[in-house]
Amino acid sequence: MHTLDKAINLIPISPGRFRGETSSDYENTVGPFGGITNALLLRAIEMRDDCFGEPLALTVNFAGPIAPGEFEIQASPTRNNRSTQHWSAHLLQREEVQATATAVFVKRRDSWSSNKAPALEGVPTPESLPRADTEGRPPWFSRYDMRFVDGGMEVMAGGEQSESTTRMWVRDDPPRPLTYTALASICDSFFPRVFLRLGRVMPIGTVSMTTYFHADGAQLQEHGDRHLFGVARGVNFRNGYYDEAAELWSHSGDLLATSHQIVYFRP
Amino acid sequence: MHTLDKAINLIPISPGRFRGETSSDYENTVGPFGGITNALLLRAIEMRDDCFGEPLALTVNFAGPIAPGEFEIQASPTRNNRSTQHWSAHLLQREEVQATATAVFVKRRDSWSSNKAPALEGVPTPESLPRADTEGRPPWFSRYDMRFVDGGMEVMAGGEQSESTTRMWVRDDPPRPLTYTALASICDSFFPRVFLRLGRVMPIGTVSMTTYFHADGAQLQEHGDRHLFGVARGVNFRNGYYDEAAELWSHSGDLLATSHQIVYFRP
């Protein structure tokens, strides 16, 4: 079993209720890597018998600290339409809500399509770039094969930067066929924008994160286990919060997901 | 009373529960303008006695059609921390959930701050631009004084476009001091990106919308009732859904809010 599948493995315990356990593989500096919390809440919804279609939107609010050990997730439908399902989910530990999620699942249909940005133009192949150094990084960092095109962690050594954009190739390590849960997790795999901007590490924590899934199942399958191309940038830094906007592109130039998060920081 | 305040006027009926009525002033082609639904759900949370701080993040999921007439909103705390509150809210009509929201409120504190993008450089003043024509538009359109810098509705006459960016000055009409609820509504005031891209009107509906409030109360007050500068673009159009990313800047160049939405369309 892949480390990701182990980390998001959930046991049904009653209708819509699941039990899971935190994974030391995806530990962050404090608590679990946020991407895994994203993936877990999405997974709980997917596992419900009455869930149909594919995810379109997922918002996760990080409400409290998740401690190592067991947790439960309750996933409930909020509204069912013909081709759209609205969901709500809660991650509970010590009888307290530690994370909440809302999600929308849809039955996709063909339509006129366009994704404009030529993100991959002039970008070196992942094979031509060195893998990011995982030395001194929290465990989850080693679960991803990251290859920085620019704005990598080594830039931090140069102190304060005017830019907060990182472009990188990224995939699960070991490689794993892309699924919505894997994509939900990868969307959170950019190191914090404020580290890049200020050239140093500091306490941070995602408060809320929203992911839009643009890919249909066929596109995920076509992408397989190859590297995704990711772009992330910080837009605004103020009063102890900043936001990150991220795009995840397939190897062949399809925009698979966009995500946004607002993050607490203490400089 | 300003039309916006009338539209978001809520009557407490029991703890955390409020009654409101749809406003014909903010009608859209079908149902109410989404910005008002955003503002209403935020307003219900603000009105709770136990609500502290200022909004940081708001996600609204549009689950079903809101009919003209009365509705109720239930707003409940999900988790209280020392300086952060997590909220959940539901808009109900005909005993069904028509919209859901999650929100995070925070006590802001000073920190190192930066907002990079020089969005206002070279932009003509609102006074030097004509007001957008409201002829043939749904009622809500007239509640905003919009002045297109580029990517205005007149561009649609030229048929399919390669760009989906609109830049405009926008404020409530009549002018009204800026509040978080007003800002939540204004974030949805860009006409649909797919109309611009395909050069024609078609059925659309926002499925989910997230707003990050970067402004603190002092910045809102400083901005007052002047025009905001807004930029919106569509990122990806596929399988009947597209997303819009929007930025709202103060008159003096502070980034007040960023918002994102994923929208259903039927070309």
Side-chain angles (χ1 to χ4, degrees):
Chain A
M1 214 188 207
H2 191 277
T3 47
L4 178 69
D5 296 295
K6 273 191 265 181
I8 63 170
N9 187 39
L10 292 171
I11 316 284
I13 52 174
S14 63
R17 204 168 180 96
F18 304 88
R19 183 171 296 140
E21 202 173 329
T22 58
S23 160
S24 56
D25 290 331
Y26 290 89
E27 252 173 61
N28 205 343
T29 316
V30 180
F33 166 54
I36 288 295
T37 306
N38 270 352
L40 276 165
L41 287 155
L42 187 65
R43 183 73 192 131
I45 296 166
E46 281 183 349
M47 280 181 72
R48 280 192 58 126
D49 294 334
D50 50 354
C51 177
F52 68 63
E54 299 170 341
L56 177 72
L58 172 72
T59 294
V60 174
N61 293 310
F62 297 82
I66 299 170
E70 284 195 349
F71 55 81
E72 292 187 5
I73 297 179
Q74 175 71 45
S76 312
T78 316
R79 168 109 185 197
N80 268 306
N81 298 323
R82 206 179 32 175
S83 58
T84 311
Q85 280 185 322
H86 287 260
W87 293 96
S88 161
H90 295 83
L91 188 150
L92 299 133
Q93 213 180 32
R94 306 177 304 277
E95 288 169 27
E96 267 195 303
V97 172
Q98 310 296 353
T100 70
T102 60
V104 185
F105 277 62
V106 295
K107 290 181 185 161
R108 288 189 165 85
R109 62 194 195 300
D110 277 346
S111 82
W112 168 82
S113 296
S114 160
N115 49 273
K116 267 211 83 242
L120 297 185
E121 256 173 42
V123 172
T125 63
E127 295 73 24
S128 69
L129 294 164
R131 181 170 171 175
D133 192 5
T134 59
E135 179 74 30
R137 306 292 167 208
W140 75 267
F141 209 84
S142 301
R143 302 288 85 73
Y144 292 100
D145 174 346
M146 300 183 199
R147 289 151 194 258
F148 294 119
V149 174
D150 38 39
M153 293 199 81
E154 71 287 352
V155 175
M156 288 169 56
E160 217 169 296
Q161 305 291 322
S162 64
E163 279 303 324
S164 66
T165 301
T166 293
R167 298 193 302 160
M168 68 175 181
W169 290 102
V170 58
R171 69 170 167 188
D172 286 297
D173 180 22
R176 174 188 180 279
L178 192 60
T179 55
Y180 289 108
T181 43
L183 189 53
S185 184
I186 288 171
C187 281
D188 196 33
S189 67
F190 299 89
F191 68 95
R193 304 296 84 203
V194 72
F195 291 8
L196 186 60
R197 201 65 182 66
L198 291 182
R200 58 189 167 84
V201 169
M202 69 201 75
I204 65 108
T206 299
V207 179
S208 183
M209 177 164 176
T210 291
T211 304
Y212 296 148
F213 300 96
H214 302 297
D216 57 34
Q219 286 175 305
L220 294 188
Q221 206 165 3
E222 193 275 322
H223 179 80
D225 65 2
R226 287 175 294 187
H227 284 87
L228 292 97
F229 181 67
V231 185
R233 68 189 178 101
V235 184
N236 192 69
F237 302 80
R238 188 187 296 141
N239 292 336
Y241 297 93
Y242 72 89
D243 60 341
E244 174 186 302
E247 299 173 350
L248 272 303
W249 299 80
S250 78
H251 196 270
S252 52
D254 286 338
L255 185 55
L256 301 180
T258 46
S259 87
H260 305 93
Q261 55 181 292
I262 187 116
V263 183
Y264 158 92
F265 72 99
R266 203 171 66 220
Chain B
M1 211 188 208
H2 191 278
T3 48
L4 178 69
D5 295 294
K6 274 191 265 182
I8 63 171
N9 187 40
L10 293 171
I11 316 285
I13 51 174
S14 64
R17 203 168 181 97
F18 304 88
R19 182 172 296 140
E21 202 173 327
T22 57
S23 160
S24 55
D25 289 332
Y26 290 89
E27 252 173 60
N28 206 343
T29 317
V30 180
F33 167 54
I36 287 296
T37 306
N38 269 353
L40 277 166
L41 287 155
L42 187 64
R43 183 71 191 133
I45 297 166
E46 281 184 351
M47 281 182 72
R48 280 193 57 127
D49 295 335
D50 50 353
C51 178
F52 67 63
E54 300 169 340
L56 177 73
L58 171 72
T59 294
V60 174
N61 294 310
F62 297 83
I66 299 171
E70 286 197 347
F71 56 81
E72 293 188 4
I73 297 178
Q74 175 70 45
S76 312
T78 317
R79 169 108 185 198
N80 268 306
N81 298 322
R82 207 176 35 174
S83 58
T84 311
Q85 280 185 322
H86 287 259
W87 294 95
S88 161
H90 295 83
L91 188 150
L92 298 133
Q93 214 181 30
R94 305 178 304 276
E95 288 169 28
E96 267 196 302
V97 173
Q98 310 295 352
T100 70
T102 59
V104 185
F105 278 62
V106 295
K107 290 181 184 160
R108 287 188 165 84
R109 60 195 198 298
D110 277 346
S111 81
W112 167 82
S113 295
S114 160
N115 48 273
K116 268 210 81 245
L120 297 184
E121 256 173 40
V123 172
T125 63
E127 294 73 24
S128 69
L129 294 165
R131 180 168 172 177
D133 191 5
T134 59
E135 179 73 29
R137 306 291 168 208
W140 74 267
F141 210 84
S142 299
R143 302 289 84 73
Y144 292 100
D145 173 347
M146 301 183 198
R147 288 151 194 258
F148 294 119
V149 175
D150 39 38
M153 292 199 81
E154 71 287 353
V155 175
M156 287 170 57
E160 218 169 296
Q161 305 291 322
S162 62
E163 278 303 324
S164 67
T165 301
T166 293
R167 300 192 301 159
M168 68 174 180
W169 290 101
V170 57
R171 69 169 166 190
D172 286 298
D173 179 22
R176 175 188 180 281
L178 193 61
T179 55
Y180 289 109
T181 43
L183 190 53
S185 185
I186 288 170
C187 281
D188 195 32
S189 68
F190 299 89
F191 68 94
R193 302 297 86 203
V194 72
F195 292 7
L196 187 60
R197 200 65 180 68
L198 291 183
R200 56 190 168 86
V201 169
M202 70 200 76
I204 64 109
T206 298
V207 179
S208 183
M209 177 165 176
T210 291
T211 304
Y212 297 147
F213 301 97
H214 302 296
D216 57 35
Q219 286 175 306
L220 294 188
Q221 206 164 6
E222 193 275 321
H223 179 81
D225 64 2
R226 287 175 295 188
H227 283 88
L228 293 96
F229 180 66
V231 185
R233 68 187 179 102
V235 184
N236 191 70
F237 302 80
R238 188 187 297 140
N239 291 336
Y241 297 94
Y242 73 88
D243 60 342
E244 173 185 302
E247 300 174 351
L248 273 304
W249 298 80
S250 78
H251 196 270
S252 53
D254 285 339
L255 186 55
L256 302 180
T258 47
S259 87
H260 305 93
Q261 56 180 291
I262 186 119
V263 183
Y264 157 92
F265 72 99
R266 203 173 65 220

